[in-house]
DNA sequence: CCGATTTGTGAGAGCGCTCTCTCAGCAGGA
DNA sequence: TCCTGCTGAGAGAGCGCTCTCACAAATCGG
């Protein structure tokens, strides 16, 4: 509108306000070393021109990108279901909104190659990285750690001794709650369908199951554990194996994900077992699947959005120079519906 | 590693390869005017140093941001369910991956204020904008259009005469298919539960319903239309109203979303009506809800991921200077399950 | 075999910003 | 009156890159 073509520059603001570029820069960045009169003058010019600082130019000299990457590791992304993804993004976005930091979304699968991300990120194109990957042996966290790039995992790494920060739901506690609920309802032959055991989530939910059994005094009763893979198919198959087991029939199942619980429901229906009368079923996550399953699933809700938010806070703190290595575990909540 | 601290620069690559900055730049940007020998030389140096161009510096001079924004307009986001969101993001990301363009995710709700986005975007900080907003009277498309910022809508605007490009599913055709399917199964009292009629999707699916009835020769039979709002509650309420209607009972329902179909299922169950024996139900979207509903929903699948991909292609073409104003309608597919 | 291209490469400016350094202006102590 | 100390503002360099322009070397018709 005023001056040359394209968006207004610092230079133009300076000219309009009758001061130097440096002074405008000081005002824009909130430096205290500007007299009130000049500050007001500059602010008027900024408003009049609709000036917005050029991010690229600023980044170039400050060597900050003012943006963080959210790296989603496909194909593992399918393990955390779509609502998980959406909720997480929402939380991250909300936390970033307050700061001026931008969210860059990187789907690992779509990246040019392994190493690209690493080079990209280490090359200073983002200030920090959120890793939404539950995958166990992913070398990326280690690489980032070594390169000194701030990073926060959403979902703990398999190797708990690994350095670096993470945010996770209290998977173990949540699983314990689920089993406790089943025990309180009088169930005695409580089985579990685990997730992939090469992931932190899978391990923790299994541990929680054992905790729950122990707390209910049911620990001695022989292990009713079948391994799934977080998918519906896997859940159905595992449920099938549980049904074929000799001895007293299972009267409750804790599945480590809603999807597997849905699979279990299907297998139970196929076998003619009534839910919850004959077999109670509990899932984990409180996704859409849980709400619309028939019967609706009792499940453990994890605060996905809050996880995204907290991970972002942790990351920004690290970017600002605060210490890393934080482990934040968020509470889960049992949501009781018809299936148990 | 080599040279100063921080990531390697063009300068360092040039020094290592024994050429000028300009030549390295040419190689990096794939200019044909470089001899093979020199090119190889430079490429070796790039590889050795692990050089990645500094985006900020490049943007500064080219005046391209090499990034596009995906603006998701909350609270309307809840209308397109979470799987919709995830699928769309995946498609967009996949299409961008081939180019070097970055994806910036902006949740409208989280933005500082109205006008910020406008200034930000018009200020040249992104090359284009994808608008995933089905909301009718959003002024943003118009603003962008006027500012000459490339933009593509995902989901057509209410005002079909509005300028600008969009990508959408063939909502009308899909709805027609759904109704045709019901008619072919011998249903004669086919009702519909519409979505919000102030959105393109809602309108189109209602039109498609009417098309379907007309094609089946059922058009004269009085309108069995109830208005919903894309939510499960709305679907259940609308189904309730349909059940209370005097005259012959409804023997089929086409709901304009899976969520509303799930609500209808609930209302039917509550009323003791068997699905599909007494009342057949068809949804729209093929979301997780459809797969896990009881009975599993027959529904119309829309190629969400493909929509994201195509919208991105359109946007990039526009950014490259090709004409806008394209309207791309993608085919839908009837997915037959147990509910109809 | 010489001027007129064509082709590959380098020199250098400058994108919009931040930040250091310098300096003008003024107050206060000797 | 001069020096010192401080504060607010400007001059100018330079971040890493692209791109125009100039230019040397290779190519070629007459």
């Amino acid at each position: 509108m005023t001056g040359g073509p394209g968006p207004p520059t610092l230079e133009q603001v300076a000219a309009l306000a009758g001061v130097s570029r440096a002074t405008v820069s000081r005002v824009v960045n909130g430096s205290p070393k500007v007299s009130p009169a000049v500050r007001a003058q500059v602010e008027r010019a900024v408003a009049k021109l609709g000036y917005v600082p050029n991010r690229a130019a600023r980044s170039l000299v400050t060597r900050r990108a003012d943006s963080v990457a959210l790296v989603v590791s496909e194909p593992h992304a399918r393990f955390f279901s779509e609502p998980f993804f959406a909720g997480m993004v929402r939380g991250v976005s909300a936390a970033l909104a307050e700061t001026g930091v931008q969210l860059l979304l990187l789907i690992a699968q779509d990246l040019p190659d392994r190493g690209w991300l690493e080079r990209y990120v280490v090359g200073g194109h983002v200030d920090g990285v959120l890793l939404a990957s539950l995958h166990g042996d992913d070398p990326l966290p280690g690489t980032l750690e070594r390169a000194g790039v701030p990073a926060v995992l959403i979902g703990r790494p398999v190797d708990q001794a690994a350095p670096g920060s993470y945010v996770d739901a209290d998977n173990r506690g949540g699983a314990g709650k689920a089993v406790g609920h089943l025990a309180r309802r009088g169930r005695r032959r409580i089985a579990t369908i685990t997730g992939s055991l090469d992931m932190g989530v899978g391990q923790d939910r299994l541990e929680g199951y054992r905790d729950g059994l122990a707390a209910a005094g049911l620990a001695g009763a022989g292990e009713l554990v079948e391994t799934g893979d977080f998918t519906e198919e896997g859940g159905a198959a595992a449920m099938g194996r549980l049904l074929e087991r000799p001895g007293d029939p299972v009267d409750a199942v804790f599945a480590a994900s809603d999807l597997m619980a849905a699979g279990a429901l299907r297998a139970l229906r196929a076998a003619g077992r009534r839910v919850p009368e004959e077999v109670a079923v509990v899932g984990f996550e409180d996704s859409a699947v849980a709400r619309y399953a028939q019967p609706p699933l009792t499940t453990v809700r994890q605060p996905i959005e809050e996880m995204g938010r907290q991970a972002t806070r942790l990351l920004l703190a690290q970017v600002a120079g605060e210490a890393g290595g934080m482990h934040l575990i968020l509470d889960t909540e049992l949501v009781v519906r018809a299936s148990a």
Side-chain angles (χ1 to χ4, degrees), chain A:
Chain A
M1 19 190 89
T2 320
T9 69
L10 247 204
E11 188 85 48
Q12 296 171 23
V13 176
L16 181 63
V19 297
S20 70
R21 282 202 323 278
T23 299
V24 178
S25 175
R26 278 187 272 258
V27 171
V28 169
N29 294 291
S31 157
K33 318 227 106 204
V34 182
S35 67
V38 174
R39 174 180 304 277
Q41 180 80 354
V42 170
E43 275 163 356
R44 235 172 295 131
V46 165
K48 187 163 176 195
L49 295 177
Y51 171 74
V52 183
N54 181 315
R55 249 192 150 71
R58 179 179 280 176
S59 280
L60 187 56
V61 40
T62 60
R63 304 173 148 290
R64 276 179 293 106
D66 279 334
S67 64
V68 298
L70 172 58
V71 178
V72 181
S73 283
E74 295 259 6
H76 316 292
R78 65 193 159 84
F79 288 131
F80 38 130
S81 61
E82 287 131 340
F84 187 100
F85 173 69
M88 187 177 61
V89 166
R90 209 170 291 151
V92 170
S93 167
L96 286 178
E98 299 154 20
T99 70
V101 178
Q102 226 83 85
L103 175 60
L104 214 60
L105 201 63
L106 300 177
I107 314 286
Q109 198 182 32
D110 298 333
L111 264 29
D113 62 85
R114 268 239 65 79
W116 178 91
L117 204 226
E118 182 181 324
R119 264 177 286 122
Y120 183 83
V121 151
V122 172
H125 300 313
V126 293
D127 299 326
V129 179
L130 290 170
L131 282 164
S133 161
L134 308 179
H135 190 48
D137 49 5
D138 199 315
L140 199 54
T143 308
L144 294 176
E145 174 77 20
R146 254 171 281 121
V149 176
V152 175
L153 305 195
I154 298 179
R156 80 160 174 86
V158 172
D159 178 7
Q160 264 184 301
S165 298
Y166 64 80
V167 170
D168 208 341
D170 182 11
N171 289 305
R172 186 165 177 171
K177 280 185 204 174
V179 173
H181 172 75
L182 290 168
R184 254 175 282 116
R185 295 270 161 132
R187 308 291 169 158
R188 287 295 168 263
R189 300 275 298 161
I190 304 175
T192 189
I193 299 175
T194 75
S196 312
L197 292 178
D198 62 341
M199 299 194 218
V201 225
Q203 298 170 359
D204 290 349
R205 292 181 189 172
L206 176 56
E207 283 308 304
Y209 161 78
R210 291 187 172 132
D211 293 348
L213 285 188
L218 260 31
E223 287 245 303
L224 291 165
V225 176
E226 284 290 347
T227 306
D229 56 357
F230 283 126
T231 70
E232 198 212 347
E233 278 313 309
M239 189 70 240
R241 294 195 297 277
L242 283 171
L243 289 173
E244 283 167 10
R245 289 206 177 198
D248 291 343
V250 159
D251 63 5
V253 179
F254 163 63
S257 78
D258 285 344
L259 224 49
M260 292 197 299
L265 244 34
R266 183 156 58 89
L268 286 167
R269 204 161 30 236
R273 299 291 229 284
R274 282 172 307 140
V275 176
E277 293 82 357
E278 295 174 67
V279 183
V281 176
V282 179
F284 205 113
E285 195 179 307
D286 194 25
S287 59
V289 173
R291 287 195 296 283
Y292 299 107
Q294 211 34 247
L297 279 173
T298 292
T299 187
V300 182
R301 175 181 302 154
Q302 48 181 351
I304 307 171
E305 196 166 330
E306 188 62 20
M307 284 167 67
R309 207 190 318 269
Q310 292 300 341
T312 307
R313 295 241 172 84
L314 239 50
L315 183 65
L316 291 177
Q318 260 185 65
V319 169
E322 292 174 32
M326 299 278 299
H327 300 175
L328 202 59
I329 305 296
L330 300 182
D331 246 12
T332 57
E333 180 194 351
L334 188 72
V335 179
V336 179
R337 297 206 182 86
S339 76

